[in-house]
Amino acid sequence: MTLPSFRFAPSPNGALHLGHAFSALLNARMAAEAGGRFLLRIEDIDTERCTRAFERGILEDLAWLGIRWEQPVRRQSEHFDAYAEALERLVAEGLAYPAFMSRGEVRAWLTEDAPAEWPRDPDGVPFYPPRDRGLPPRERAARIAGGEAYSWRLDMAASLERLRRRPTWTETGMGPTGDSGVIVADPAAWGDVVIARKDVPASYNLCVVVDDAIQGITNVVRGRDLFHATSVHRVLQDLLGLPAPSYHHHDLLLGEDGRKLSKSRGDTALRALRDIGATPGDIARLLER
Ligand code: GLU
């Protein structure tokens, strides 16, 4: 029998704030209540913004909160080979293509050539232009051989055709409009997502599904801001033959201005609260609802 397995997966690109404390404590509590495992994963593929110093700070903050996790901690930057293997499978199956356009070229295409009502993804980002999806294989190969920079994008239409039916997932939390229970994924709303970036041979969407499978995660507990991205995760899981965990998207803590807390804006770092004398008990009480 597989034990229920939960994980907290922070990116070490800043200090943890109250929102992370809420997510980590909820994860650990749900794992304990289920008699399951609680794992930690450091999502550090963005080697420009992620640092070991932030990672050390995160581990210290979590330990201070009284959270205990299994060893070893999985650090994504040590597993690029696993992501490359998943990418190669998608490429070999004709489900991914090299996307060569620079940001400037995309912007120019959107202003000059895009049809009216060109779609945007749930984050508000316009879909990638269709140009590279249809490039002849010889032109692709020549441009890659010529050293042109490119990312890999999932051919969403081809992927959905391959799967034949839209994936679903079990939601034990809630989506932005209150949806829970069995959710029918809407991956087409994302268009051709990036699965490997120009600078790193991986992407959040690809790593998260590969790692959840390798770590044997059965229950993903994370912020509601990732609810829509779950549609992409479910497609990748089905294409790669990976098991689908159940998902629990929780409320986001909002700052006084009503926006979600953010590391980059330096919101309420746990460390700062600790420095002014807050105890782990104070934090837990603050987050109770
Ligand atoms: N690394 C992501 C973050 O810090 C979390 C990803 C996830 O839980 O799936 O927002």
Side-chain angles (χ1 to χ4, degrees), residues 184-200:
V184 180
D186 186 14
W190 284 99
D192 295 349
V193 286
V194 172
I195 47 174
R197 296 175 1 187
K198 281 184 183 158
D199 51 344
V200 270

Side-chain angles (χ1 to χ4, degrees), residues 63-86:
W64 176 76
L65 283 171
I67 292 174
R68 299 286 171 267
W69 56 90
E70 272 183 33
Q71 299 293 338
V73 170
R74 184 174 173 89
R75 193 182 281 131
Q76 288 190 326
S77 59
E78 292 169 353
H79 298 283
F80 281 113
D81 50 344
Y83 315 131
E85 204 182 301

